[in-house]
Amino acid sequence: MRLSRYFLPVLKENPAEAQIVSHRLMLRAGMIKQQAAGIYSWLPMGFKVLKRIEQIVHEEQIRAGHIPLLMPTLQPADLWRESGRYDDYGQEMLRIKDRHEREMLYGPTNEEMITDIFRSHVNSYKELPLTLYHIQWKFRDEVRPRFGVMRGREFLMKDGYTFDLTREDALHAYNRHMVSYLRTYERMGLTAIPMRAASGPIGGDNTHEFLVLADTGESEVFYDARVPALKLGDRAVDYDNREEVAAICEEFTTLYARTDETHDEAVYAQVPEEHRKVGRGIEVGQIFYFGTKYSEAMGATVVTPDGSRVPVEMGSHGIGVSRLLGALIEANHDDKGIIWPEGVTPFHCGIVNLKQGDTGTDAACEALYKALRDHGLDPLYDDREDRAGAKFATMDLIGLPWRITVGPRGLANNLVELTSRRTGESEEMSAAAAVARIVQIYDGI
């Protein structure tokens, strides 16, 4: 993409309405535009990052054996009356009527609808286990929507639902989700800590939230300082191996890590004093096991091996896809702007032409642009006729991890400059070497 042809409405000044870093930088970098309180249009660069996050979520869900589908945003109220949640959910639910006076709602979550799909098509234990998920827009009418996409009313969410014959099977599905989520966040360059949490309106007695440590987090968190150092890395995981998956979950949940809702001072006091940490966290996902809460109420049953019929054991598992984008910025920024991790960056690198219109620099930039594209990478070429300082400021603001700078002085020695956005370090090298370095960096990401 050439910046002269791209829609990137950056702002020079900080928007007055933005209270936290991610909201401020998303507005300044031309990623979103507010249309109403807590409701945003996703402009091209914001949409591009959103799709990269969504793709990682899809890949890790499918790797874990989960099956994608798509459910509608609007749901009939009668399904929620079956489960008993229609009147209990409160004013966060947007209730509407269609032209035939049928009561509908804009879905805040999909436990009822997925249970209805299951009971309509699954009859036997032989069709279990089953995990279905989708990535869809949700709506919750927050009293005070704030912090941009971190607490909006409309948001993009991955919600998955597990159906199993026994509690043991369902707990394996729970563990499988925990591991798949850990891998998902790591691929995005995030450290998301699973913390024992409260279930809220979803219900259930087994639940963990995944929180990214950040000063602007809405939750107070208490944790062992050794927890953030835990990593899955590139280890292979057999999601069908119950012992292996359970061992990973134990590794990541044995050390103390809880939100303020479930904090236990007596247990926390057993953590060595030098490892006790108190901070704030941004919730980016949550997993629930709730047994037969919905299947009993809605008649989602299967025939067992002995011919009897039992309600299935269920769980639900969510990742805040649009919320993740805000969390990524909260965890990756400096006073100049965003610093995207390589796994989610909207463009793999930026190319800055210091003398647009010069035959030599134009030709060198075009060659770099083509070479990177030929390797399957997606560069952003700043081909605008603007001063160098303005071009650098834009690149720093939008946060591409790598920048290749091309100017007449360097080209006189057949050199370009490769700069890391995260460290600020620059290195002169040939154009071919810069391309090779960028290709190597993204190989396997």
Side-chain angles (χ1 to χ4, degrees), residues 301-323:
T301 63
V302 293
V303 176
T304 66
D306 65 8
S308 61
R309 187 172 281 276
V310 297
V312 291
E313 299 277 341
M314 291 178 60
S316 68
H317 314 278
I319 288 181
V321 175
S322 53
R323 186 180 178 84

Side-chain angles (χ1 to χ4, degrees), residues 286-307:
Q286 190 162 4
I287 57 178
F288 303 86
Y289 160 66
F290 43 67
T292 59
K293 173 182 169 69
Y294 296 93
S295 55
E296 282 189 346
M298 299 182 67
T301 63
V302 293
V303 176
T304 66
D306 65 8

Side-chain angles (χ1 to χ4, degrees), residues 4 49 141 209 212 223 245-246 283 380:
S4 63
V49 179
D141 202 0
E209 288 179 349
V212 174
Y223 63 98
V245 172
E283 183 200 338
L380 178 64

Side-chain angles (χ1 to χ4, degrees), residues 133-157:
Y133 80 92
H134 72 158
I135 297 177
Q136 179 61 289
W137 291 96
K138 304 283 194 292
F139 189 91
R140 294 176 189 166
D141 202 0
E142 294 274 357
V143 177
R144 288 181 296 277
R146 55 198 177 115
F147 301 158
V149 300
M150 297 288 287
R151 183 168 286 187
R153 292 193 293 168
E154 185 184 52
F155 54 94
L156 189 63
M157 180 177 172

Side-chain angles (χ1 to χ4, degrees), residues 377-414:
L377 296 176
D378 191 9
L380 178 64
Y381 173 21
D382 191 343
D383 61 340
R384 299 171 300 162
E385 293 185 6
D386 206 343
R387 57 189 178 83
K391 291 188 174 188
F392 290 147
T394 297
M395 285 292 173
D396 285 341
L397 174 62
I398 66 177
L400 307 186
W402 298 94
R403 184 186 77 223
I404 302 174
T405 304
V406 181
R409 186 180 302 174
L411 284 182
N413 297 308
N414 294 315

Side-chain angles (χ1 to χ4, degrees), residues 5-49:
R5 302 178 188 175
Y6 198 52
F7 182 59
L8 187 67
V10 299
L11 304 176
K12 292 183 179 179
E13 304 298 327
N14 287 327
E17 71 270 26
Q19 298 175 290
I20 62 171
V21 168
S22 58
H23 190 195
R24 181 167 70 246
L25 289 177
M26 288 182 76
L27 290 169
R28 283 200 58 209
M31 299 178 72
I32 56 172
K33 181 187 185 302
Q34 181 171 311
Q35 303 298 159
I39 300 174
Y40 295 89
S41 287
W42 291 80
L43 305 184
M45 198 178 80
F47 183 62
K48 200 171 176 66
V49 179

Side-chain angles (χ1 to χ4, degrees), residues 41-349:
S41 287
W42 291 80
L43 305 184
M45 198 178 80
F47 183 62
K48 200 171 176 66
V49 179
L50 192 67
K51 297 305 286 186
R52 290 204 188 278
I53 293 171
E54 183 179 346
Q55 184 60 33
I56 291 173
V57 173
H58 270 304
E59 288 172 2
E60 292 305 325
Q61 286 299 294
I62 291 168
R63 188 199 296 226
H66 307 159
I67 304 168
L69 47 66
L70 185 64
M71 291 175 276
T73 56
L74 295 179
Q75 303 182 30
D78 286 346
L79 283 178
W80 285 65
R81 288 198 172 95
E82 280 191 64
S83 72
R85 284 207 299 174
Y86 185 70
D87 295 320
D88 294 343
Y89 204 87
Q91 292 185 317
E92 282 191 354
M93 181 187 288
L94 181 62
R95 296 165 168 85
I96 57 179
K97 290 183 179 180
D98 66 13
R99 67 171 66 199
H100 302 291
E101 293 297 304
R102 288 182 291 234
E103 293 179 294
M104 310 286 286
L105 59 101
Y106 193 127
T109 183
N110 280 72
E111 282 80 9
E112 284 80 3
M113 184 165 282
I114 198 71
T115 305
D116 179 54
I117 291 171
F118 178 90
R119 71 184 178 183
S120 299
H121 300 287
V122 179
N123 186 57
S124 170
Y125 75 96
K126 294 178 181 179
E127 298 170 81
L128 302 179
L130 181 64
T131 297
L132 302 171
Y133 80 92
H134 72 158
I135 297 177
Q136 179 61 289
W137 291 96
K138 304 283 194 292
F139 189 91
R140 294 176 189 166
D141 202 0
E142 294 274 357
V143 177
R144 288 181 296 277
R146 55 198 177 115
F147 301 158
V149 300
M150 297 288 287
R151 183 168 286 187
R153 292 193 293 168
E154 185 184 52
F155 54 94
L156 189 63
M157 180 177 172
K158 172 262 158 183
D159 43 321
Y161 303 91
T162 56
F163 301 89
D164 291 277
L165 183 61
T166 67
R167 173 182 167 86
E168 291 72 25
D169 294 342
L171 290 176
H172 171 60
Y174 183 94
N175 291 342
R176 195 174 64 238
H177 274 83
M178 181 178 290
V179 175
S180 70
Y181 280 23
L182 290 169
R183 190 185 290 282
T184 298
Y185 299 128
E186 282 189 23
R187 280 189 60 187
M188 296 177 191
L190 281 175
T191 298
I193 302 171
M195 299 191 179
R196 178 68 64 179
S199 60
I202 302 294
D205 51 10
N206 260 58
T207 179
H208 280 83
E209 288 179 349
F210 292 81
L211 289 103
V212 174
L213 299 176
D215 292 339
T216 50
E218 71 271 65
S219 301
E220 187 175 26
V221 296
F222 303 81
Y223 63 98
D224 189 310
R226 294 167 288 185
V227 172
L230 297 173
K231 302 293 179 189
L232 267 178
D234 57 1
R235 71 178 95 170
V237 178
D238 179 358
Y239 284 102
D240 292 326
N241 187 320
R242 296 191 179 201
E243 291 75 18
E244 180 183 349
V245 172
I248 295 172
C249 293
E250 184 176 1
E251 174 188 344
F252 279 81
T253 59
T254 297
L255 293 173
Y256 192 92
R258 297 195 185 189
T259 62
D260 50 0
E261 292 178 300
T262 58
H263 176 56
D264 187 323
E265 194 62 41
V267 179
Y268 184 58
Q270 297 173 23
V271 177
E273 187 173 357
E274 67 272 20
H275 294 310
R276 290 180 213 156
K277 293 288 184 181
V278 180
R280 303 203 70 80
I282 300 167
E283 183 200 338
V284 291
Q286 190 162 4
I287 57 178
F288 303 86
Y289 160 66
F290 43 67
T292 59
K293 173 182 169 69
Y294 296 93
S295 55
E296 282 189 346
M298 299 182 67
T301 63
V302 293
V303 176
T304 66
D306 65 8
S308 61
R309 187 172 281 276
V310 297
V312 291
E313 299 277 341
M314 291 178 60
S316 68
H317 314 278
I319 288 181
V321 175
S322 53
R323 186 180 178 84
L324 265 170
L325 202 151
L328 279 157
I329 295 173
E330 292 292 331
N332 297 278
H333 70 273
D334 61 16
D335 57 359
K336 295 179 181 179
I338 302 164
I339 307 173
W340 292 115
E342 279 84 353
V344 295
T345 180
F347 297 94
H348 294 109
C349 75

